[in-house]
């Protein structure tokens, strides 16, 4: 079997980590930690499960089937594969993840130094510069991404680690910000693990996993690996390594939030304030600039992935035109405000994630499911229906008898009411009277 050396394996792991570690990975764990308080470890476990865990499962599912997210969707049909791919690319592109890179960069690097009366104007200017640079570097992304990934990502990790240890050991009795044990609030008091699972949706690594699988697969083959078993082995190993690093960073960020009593609007504001308070102005500046450049790397990666996919899908639109459109759209969306973006995105993700989870889990049994495509269709349809009702209730929209019926489902109050019906849908799809269809390639 072909083998890679330790340096090559480390390169793969760090590459995947750098791809995943973006805006959401910075802001959600500290905010969750503050809300979860003494229950932050349970919430963190749920967060890791639905963020890094689903991302890893998605990578494994794709590499076992082929090398692209379309191979996952083709288990159902080409039409569904197209719908799945477009939806995922929109989620991790201009609708949510990409605009968030600009807004988080502004919130952590610039916003704390701007007087209130100039906040809106400076936000427009900073995000305009951010997405202009994203557009420019997306034309030839490799050099800038390599530079930032090689130097700034380690600096970002180091700054978070230093902040964690300072927060852990420093005497904070005379500081402006109040520190100490935080009491859990809301659903974190009773169902911290399951609430953490919902927060894990927000980081958007779950949908990104199947998309980014091809990057690691190409990196593995770029080292001269050609045997299929070796490609699968090193892709999975890289995913596991990246998940371990992500989990360690999440723990440190969640701990910082769980020991900060002063309340902030979001995790980004919390991190910057704690860094400036405990380390001094230099701490806030280094953390802010590291986040800015790390988000720039993520933005370039997301923009190029999105533009490449849609140029392949619609050849009439040039790569540069698609890049310009997505950067302009993301610029506009990024200025609605970080907290508002989080509020809007959560119900959408609560609907999409169960469908993706069901498809990924069922894909591991595709050899036994064979041509019984109704297994996938029934299971995903039921999961989406229940998740839709749950998400609507979460934003205060009741659907009459449908909501009342859904509330009777096991695990519904834990936001997992879709699980047993999805399993039932899969069993229904196995019944012998459904016509078997060939899997489309």
């Amino acid at each position: 079997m072909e083998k890679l050396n330790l340096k090559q394996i480390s390169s793969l792991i760090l590459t995947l980590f750098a791809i995943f570690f973006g805006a959401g990975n910075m802001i959600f764990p500290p905010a969750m930690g503050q809300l979860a308080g003494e229950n932050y470890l349970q919430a963190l476990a749920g967060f890791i499960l639905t963020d890094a865990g689903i991302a890893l499962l998605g990578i494994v599912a794709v590499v076992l089937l082929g090398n692209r997210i379309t191979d996952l969707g083709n288990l159902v049909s080409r039409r569904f594969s197209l719908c799945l791919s477009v939806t995922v690319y929109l989620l991790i592109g201009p609708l949510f993840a990409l605009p968030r890179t600009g807004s988080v960069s502004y919130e952590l690097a610039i916003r704390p130094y701007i007087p209130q009366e100039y906040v809106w104007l400076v936000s427009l200017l900073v995000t305009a510069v951010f997405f202009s640079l994203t557009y420019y570097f997306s034309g030839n992304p490799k050099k800038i991404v390599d530079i930032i990934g090689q130097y700034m990502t380690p600096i970002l990790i180091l700054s978070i680690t230093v902040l964690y240890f300072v927060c852990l050991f420093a005497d904070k009795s005379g500081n402006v910000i109040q520190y100490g044990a935080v009491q859990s609030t809301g659903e974190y008091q009773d169902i911290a693990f399951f609430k953490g699972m919902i927060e894990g949706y927000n980081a958007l690594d779950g949908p990104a996993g199947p998309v980014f699988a091809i990057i690691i697969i190409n990196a593995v083959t770029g080292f001269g690996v050609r045997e299929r078993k070796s490609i699968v082995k090193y892709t999975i190993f890289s995913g596991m390594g990246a998940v371990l690093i992500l989990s360690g960073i999440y723990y440190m960020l969640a701990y910082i939030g769980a020991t900060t009593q002063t309340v902030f609007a979001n995790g980004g504001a919390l991190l910057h304030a704690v860094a400036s308070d405990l380390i001094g102005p230099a701490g806030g500046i280094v953390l802010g600039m590291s986040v800015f450049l790390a988000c720039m790397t993520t933005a370039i990666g997301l923009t190029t992935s999105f533009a490449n996919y849609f140029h392949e899908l619609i050849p009439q639109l040039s790569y540069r035109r698609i890049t310009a459109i997505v950067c302009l759209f993301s610029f506009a969306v990024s200025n609605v405000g970080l907290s508002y973006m989080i509020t809007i995105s959560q119900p959408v993700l609560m609907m999409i994630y169960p469908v993706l989870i069901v498809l990924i889990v069922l894909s591991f049994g595709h050899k036994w499911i064979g041509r019984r495509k109704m297994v996938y269709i029934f299971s995903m349809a039921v999961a989406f229906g229940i998740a839709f009702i749950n998400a609507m209730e979460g934003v205060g929209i009741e659907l009459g008898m449908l909501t009342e019926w859904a509330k009777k489902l096991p695990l519904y109050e834990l936001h997992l009411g879709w699980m047993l019906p999805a399993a039932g849908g899969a069993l229904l799809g196995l019944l012998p009277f459904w016509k078997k269809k060939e899997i489309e390639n």
Side-chain angles (χ1 to χ4, degrees), residues 35-352:
L35 293 172
E38 73 275 13
N39 296 327
Y40 81 96
L41 288 178
Q42 295 121 286
L44 177 64
F47 184 94
I48 291 172
L49 177 64
T50 53
D51 176 64
I54 295 175
L56 177 60
L57 282 180
I59 291 171
V60 174
V62 169
V63 75
L64 291 177
L65 291 170
N67 58 15
R68 304 184 69 173
I69 189 174
T70 51
D71 296 313
L72 191 60
N74 282 340
L75 290 173
V76 181
S77 69
R78 289 181 180 175
R79 185 174 297 176
F80 174 79
S81 181
L82 175 64
C83 180
L84 173 70
S85 301
V86 169
T87 299
V88 168
Y89 273 103
L90 287 173
L91 285 175
I92 67 172
L95 292 186
F96 295 126
L98 188 53
R100 200 164 62 193
T101 59
S103 59
V104 168
S105 298
Y106 166 71
E107 290 277 351
L108 266 78
I110 308 296
R111 171 66 182 86
Y113 308 103
I114 303 302
Q116 184 61 38
E117 60 268 27
Y118 300 117
V119 165
W120 176 246
L121 176 61
V122 175
S123 174
L124 288 173
L125 292 174
V126 171
T127 51
V129 170
F130 183 91
F131 285 108
S132 295
L133 291 172
T134 299
Y135 172 77
Y136 175 77
F137 288 121
S138 292
N140 186 19
K142 186 171 177 16
K143 185 175 181 180
I144 187 67
V145 171
D146 285 348
I147 291 172
I148 296 176
Q150 184 178 357
Y151 298 106
M152 296 314 302
T153 298
I155 292 174
L156 176 61
I157 295 173
L158 180 62
S159 64
I160 293 171
T161 304
V162 169
L163 182 58
Y164 164 72
F165 280 107
V166 170
C167 193
L168 188 63
F169 295 114
D171 178 12
K172 301 181 283 293
S173 55
N175 292 76
V176 175
I177 294 176
Q178 297 297 309
Y179 299 95
V182 179
Q183 294 296 313
S184 58
T185 60
E187 292 180 308
Y188 286 105
Q189 293 178 321
D190 302 312
I191 54 170
F193 175 81
F194 299 100
K195 182 62 175 174
M197 290 178 63
I198 300 301
E199 287 299 314
Y201 292 170
N202 288 319
L204 281 168
D205 287 331
V211 171
F212 292 151
I214 190 172
I215 297 176
I216 296 303
I217 293 170
N218 288 340
V220 171
T221 57
F223 285 130
V225 177
R226 294 293 179 267
E227 293 179 8
R228 182 63 187 167
K229 288 184 179 180
S230 297
I231 293 173
V232 171
K233 170 188 171 182
Y234 287 116
T235 300
I236 294 175
F237 193 83
S238 300
M240 294 172 63
V243 165
L244 286 175
I245 299 176
L246 278 171
S247 298
I249 296 296
Y250 290 159
Y251 165 75
M252 290 188 282
L253 291 171
Y255 175 84
I256 292 168
T259 55
T260 304
Q261 294 179 344
T262 303
V263 178
F264 295 91
N266 54 64
L270 186 153
L271 275 182
H272 188 278
V274 171
S276 299
D277 189 53
L278 294 180
I279 304 175
I285 292 171
V286 171
L287 178 66
M289 294 311 299
S290 298
V291 169
F292 186 94
L293 293 172
C295 285
M296 178 66 67
T297 305
T298 302
I300 294 167
L302 293 175
T303 300
T304 54
S305 296
F306 183 92
N308 280 324
Y309 174 76
F310 278 91
H311 175 59
E312 193 176 299
L313 189 65
I314 313 171
Q316 298 89 335
L317 285 177
S318 69
Y319 171 86
R320 294 301 287 177
R321 179 171 294 183
I322 296 173
T323 302
I325 292 171
V326 75
C327 286
L328 283 171
F329 186 87
S330 298
F331 159 71
V333 175
S334 68
N335 283 283
V336 303
L338 180 57
S339 298
Y340 185 72
M341 286 175 60
I342 295 170
T343 302
I344 294 297
S345 65
Q346 190 166 80
V348 176
L349 298 176
M350 285 180 66
M351 301 177 208
I352 300 300

Side-chain angles (χ1 to χ4, degrees), residues 16-36:
L16 186 56
F17 169 79
I19 292 170
F20 278 125
F21 196 79
N25 309 83
M26 282 291 296
I27 62 174
F28 291 114
M32 179 187 68
Q34 187 171 60
L35 293 172

